[in-house]
Amino acid sequence: LDYWYDTLSTLYHNQETIETELYEKRRERKEEKRNREEEREREEREEKRVFLYDITSVYLEGKHCPLASFGYNRDGKKGKKQIVVGLLTDEEGYPLATEVFTGNTNDQTTVGEQIKKLKERFKAKRLIFIGDRGMLTSARIEEIESGLLGSGIDFITALKRKDLMELLARQEKALQLGLFDQPNLAEFREGNRRYVLCYNPNRKVKDAAQREKLLWKTEQKLLQIARCVAGGYLKSKDKILHRLYKWIDRWKMERFFQVEVEEGKFSYRRKEEEIERYSKLDGCYVLVTSLPPEELSKEEVEIKYKSLSQVEQDFRTLKSVDLEIRPVKHWKEEQVRGHVFLCSLALRITYEARKMLLPLLKREENNHHCEGKSLREIWEDLKRFSI
């Protein structure tokens, strides 16, 4: 057991070297028919390399790991501390680097280090960084645009609903809700940023149902407060406000309620006009990028952003029966980091295997049947053969 623990520690201490060498070898394979030096000079001079980035949470057993903390849980494991794992991939979803953060780490705070890693370790002088709306917030975008994170950096992300509403207010004449209904993508510019307006009818019902669910949950909490005040259990205005602030914006629903608080009095109502205003954006989303149209069309911007689904697939592979990264039962920090890095190396093998076995793993549209059944079953079949 000590040998395996020592191995994890050794892996972690050599992670940066291994990831860098694997990245270089992947580039060399893609350039094997070209002159390497000339191609690299051309890339540095003209081409921008595309990188995808996202994070997930992984729960741990035990409570003594210094990285373990309670945070936004994506595993649905209540009462379990967790770590946060960041995954950086190339445009095709091939894993390039992983990093482990404490379990209460906020998505957006990890971006700066990842861009620094791309610039310094992977020598990406010009790059396009793609992250979701929780990753590339307005603050992170401003850092990129101001040059605080270096030069030669472009980005693609989506706006949060709150930012979208603010944009609608600023661009009342240029940005009309009817533009979202166009069969072709619409776009406009504001300063150095391009905004691409997209509409997904399949999300319309889902967005409405999600909002109604969160409105109901918020209203149940407000109703509890109203009953406590009416029953005389809550009289002090300060105590009522303390209870109110605990729940009013737990699910980002504060904007949809009008609340009145006095000494011994409490009332609320839904702001139906605001709810109706937001409902018009169901199924709508806006992408924002720093890339000009001559470098990337609006259709290509949407395609690039949707490539983030490849990182989500990598996470499913890490956390499913293929690799089973969770639960993590180590408690020393370097062994936890070594465990995650070991799984990321296995993810690279799985990625290459899926690519090589694609004809066997391709599923039929009508019944989802495929000749190879699944990658895991192929692994099991191969175990029967001796080498």
Side-chain angles (χ1 to χ4, degrees):
L1 188 61
D2 288 339
Y3 172 80
W4 286 109
Y5 285 156
D6 288 342
T7 301
L8 291 178
S9 298
T10 302
L11 266 177
Y12 165 61
H13 289 301
N14 288 277
Q15 177 176 349
E16 184 173 327
T17 302
I18 295 171
E19 287 178 339
T20 304
E21 290 188 6
L22 287 173
Y23 175 73
E24 290 299 326
K25 287 180 180 179
R26 177 168 173 80
R27 290 192 69 200
E28 288 173 10
R29 288 200 303 270
K30 296 171 83 172
E31 299 168 358
E32 59 185 4
K33 294 183 180 180
R34 308 173 184 174
N35 183 294
R36 191 178 308 157
E37 292 303 321
E38 290 182 0
E39 179 61 20
R40 285 186 180 175
E41 286 179 8
R42 187 172 69 85
E43 281 191 353
E44 292 176 358
R45 187 173 59 253
E46 299 174 1
E47 293 186 3
K48 294 180 179 179
R49 285 183 259 168
V50 178
F51 297 95
L52 314 175
Y53 178 66
D54 205 351
I55 68 172
T56 190
S57 60
V58 177
Y59 72 91
L60 294 89
E61 297 292 352
K63 302 177 181 179
H64 300 291
C65 176
L67 292 168
S69 181
F70 291 109
Y72 175 57
N73 193 304
R74 298 165 176 83
D75 292 329
K77 285 283 185 178
K78 291 185 178 180
K80 294 284 188 182
K81 288 188 175 183
Q82 64 181 28
I83 55 174
V84 169
V85 176
L87 178 62
L88 195 62
T89 79
D90 65 11
E91 187 175 6
E92 299 173 4
Y94 179 82
L96 300 177
T98 54
E99 191 162 345
V100 179
F101 306 96
T102 55
N104 58 355
T105 300
N106 187 285
D107 298 22
Q108 60 170 312
T109 60
T110 67
V111 171
E113 284 299 315
Q114 301 310 308
I115 292 179
K116 182 179 178 181
K117 185 185 300 180
L118 293 171
K119 300 284 284 185
E120 295 180 358
R121 195 199 303 177
F122 297 144
K123 310 301 180 187
K125 292 188 176 180
R126 305 182 71 206
L127 62 97
I128 301 172
F129 191 88
I130 304 178
D132 67 18
R133 65 196 73 196
M135 197 73 59
L136 282 172
T137 60
S138 56
R140 300 290 82 77
I141 291 175
E142 288 173 5
E143 285 182 354
I144 292 173
E145 292 177 329
S146 66
L148 287 176
L149 300 178
S151 60
I153 305 169
D154 285 293
F155 62 87
I156 300 175
T157 189
L159 289 184
K160 290 183 176 181
R161 185 59 62 97
K162 178 183 177 182
D163 295 331
L164 173 55
M165 296 304 293
E166 292 176 357
L167 184 66
L168 278 171
R170 292 200 308 269
Q171 298 285 338
E172 188 174 354
K173 293 182 179 180
L175 182 55
Q176 301 296 328
L177 290 174
L179 292 174
F180 287 98
D181 298 326
Q182 295 187 36
N184 299 317
L185 299 177
E187 71 168 291
F188 72 95
R189 300 197 68 150
E190 187 180 72
N192 294 323
R193 301 179 190 177
R194 284 172 65 207
Y195 295 89
V196 179
L197 283 57
C198 309
Y199 176 71
N200 183 350
N202 296 326
R203 287 195 57 88
K204 186 177 179 67
V205 175
K206 183 178 179 181
D207 286 348
Q210 177 70 3
R211 183 178 57 258
E212 188 56 39
K213 175 184 175 181
L214 297 180
L215 282 169
W216 181 85
K217 290 177 71 173
T218 303
E219 196 162 18
Q220 293 306 302
K221 298 299 181 181
L222 297 179
L223 184 59
Q224 287 180 13
I225 297 173
R227 287 171 177 170
C228 287
V229 174
Y233 302 107
L234 275 178
K235 296 181 180 180
S236 167
K237 180 178 180 180
D238 289 340
K239 290 185 177 180
I240 297 173
L241 288 172
H242 177 76
R243 183 81 65 87
L244 173 66
Y245 292 147
K246 181 179 179 181
W247 295 111
I248 185 63
D249 206 29
R250 173 65 65 90
W251 300 287
K252 308 300 181 184
M253 294 288 110
E254 180 181 12
R255 64 177 66 89
F256 299 128
F257 289 94
Q258 179 69 45
V259 179
E260 294 182 4
V261 179
E262 297 293 340
E263 198 75 19
K265 295 181 180 180
F266 176 80
S267 63
Y268 71 90
R269 69 173 182 85
R270 286 193 180 193
K271 296 165 67 174
E272 298 295 345
E273 64 283 355
E274 188 69 3
I275 296 173
E276 177 63 23
R277 195 164 75 96
Y278 263 68
S279 69
K280 293 178 181 179
L281 293 173
D282 290 342
C284 302
Y285 61 100
V286 173
L287 304 180
V288 56
T289 181
S290 57
L291 291 158
E294 56 269 21
E295 288 192 35
L296 212 64
S297 68
K298 55 191 177 184
E299 291 78 14
E300 289 172 326
V301 169
E302 184 182 33
I303 292 171
K304 295 286 188 189
Y305 181 76
K306 287 183 175 180
S307 64
L308 277 173
S309 62
Q310 295 174 119
V311 188
E312 294 172 1
Q313 176 59 52
D314 286 339
F315 282 142
R316 284 192 290 271
T317 301
L318 273 174
K319 300 167 81 169
S320 70
V321 293
D322 282 333
L323 297 181
E324 296 180 342
I325 191 175
R326 59 188 180 184
V328 180
K329 298 184 179 181
H330 312 292
W331 62 273
K332 288 187 176 181
E333 180 176 337
E334 62 181 26
Q335 289 169 0
V336 171
R337 293 183 185 276
H339 171 86
V340 172
F341 179 50
L342 180 64
C343 291
S344 76
L345 293 176
L347 180 62
R348 287 170 167 84
I349 296 173
T350 304
Y351 178 95
E352 296 291 358
R354 287 189 186 280
K355 191 173 181 180
M356 293 170 65
L357 298 171
L358 186 60
L360 289 175
L361 296 172
K362 188 174 182 180
R363 297 190 177 274
E364 298 175 7
E365 291 185 6
N366 54 348
N367 56 15
H368 298 286
H369 171 77
C370 70
E371 187 176 350
K373 295 183 179 178
S374 71
L375 185 60
R376 187 173 183 82
E377 288 172 299
I378 292 176
W379 293 146
E380 294 298 324
D381 287 342
L382 289 174
K383 287 180 181 179
R384 297 182 299 170
F385 298 93
S386 60
I387 299 176

